[in-house]
Amino acid sequence: MGRIYLVRHPATHMDPDTPAEQWGLSDEGLSQLDRLLQARWWTDVRHVYTSTEQKARAVGDAVLNQFGIPCTSHAELRELERTPEFRSDYRERVIRMFATPDVPVDGWESLSSATDRLTGFLRGTVSGGPIPAAVVSHGIVLSSVRARLLGMSHVDPRHWQALPFAAVAEVETDDWTLASDFAPE
């Protein structure tokens, strides 16, 4: 039986003039990262996989520095591909995307495509590598993967909005179910 820890990156410093992929951690996010690093399960983790986005890589870098656990970044773990400009209607766009997961919304990658990409990476690369492993990714796509693991037909936007930064869920790879749902460390 294998275990994968799904980790949502810590809170970020949002900068409307910078693409979201380049946002770093906020002061709150740095505090969340410190708490995340205190989790006991890191002693079991043999490899950390992160998104290529700076806010996710910060977790992998910290784990490598503190515990010496190998870490690699992969584009398959990124959030949805989306237009780079900051949008004041972001929340509304995400809710529309959850309602129509197979349809790209306003130039964004479809939710189904992003979820397939992340799920494929989990079932292929991660489960075929050193286990237990940790995977650091993003709120929208992790909400969708969570819904799939729970057998839900769609993501309830309230679940996405309630997903805390630096939250962790545990996935059993023998039957691809959640052993524990997302909760902050």
Side-chain angles (χ1 to χ4, degrees):
M1 174 176 12
R3 181 154 293 193
I4 298 172
Y5 297 92
L6 298 179
V7 181
R8 182 182 186 192
H9 66 77
T12 60
H13 171 73
M14 292 176 27
D15 178 0
D17 297 324
T18 304
E21 297 80 22
Q22 297 173 18
W23 291 352
L25 300 183
S26 65
D27 289 343
E28 178 185 5
L30 292 171
S31 293
Q32 292 168 342
L33 177 58
D34 286 341
R35 285 190 300 277
L36 184 63
L37 292 173
Q38 294 172 27
R40 294 176 194 245
W41 52 264
W42 287 115
T43 59
D44 296 331
V45 172
R46 297 182 56 214
H47 196 93
V48 179
Y49 301 87
T50 75
S51 160
T52 54
E53 294 186 29
Q54 183 175 339
K55 52 195 165 252
R57 285 193 341 254
V59 176
D61 292 345
V63 170
L64 176 63
N65 289 336
Q66 184 160 332
F67 303 111
I69 301 169
C71 175
T72 54
S73 296
H74 299 269
E76 294 88 347
L77 301 176
R78 71 188 181 282
E79 186 66 280
L80 303 174
E81 270 306 313
R82 51 190 176 203
T83 54
E85 76 277 355
F86 186 81
R87 299 293 303 227
S88 60
D89 65 343
Y90 178 79
R91 182 180 173 277
E92 291 77 18
R93 279 182 170 204
V94 173
I95 290 170
R96 283 189 315 179
M97 184 193 49
F98 286 145
T100 58
D102 296 327
V103 179
V105 172
D106 298 332
W108 289 11
E109 176 183 18
S110 75
L111 181 61
S112 294
S113 173
T115 306
D116 289 345
R117 170 174 36 82
L118 181 55
T119 301
F121 190 83
L122 293 174
R123 289 181 179 257
T125 302
V126 178
S127 68
I131 296 287
V135 173
V136 185
S137 191
H138 305 274
I140 295 171
V141 72
L142 285 173
S143 293
S144 187
V145 167
R146 174 191 177 272
R148 279 197 188 171
L149 290 169
L150 292 172
M152 301 166 74
S153 62
H154 69 284
V155 176
D156 183 326
R158 294 172 296 183
H159 295 165
W160 163 67
Q161 291 174 307
L163 180 63
F165 286 102
V168 179
E170 298 177 44
V171 176
E172 293 293 345
T173 60
D174 60 334
D175 58 1
W176 291 98
T177 58
L178 283 181
S180 67
D181 206 348
F182 283 97
E185 286 295 334

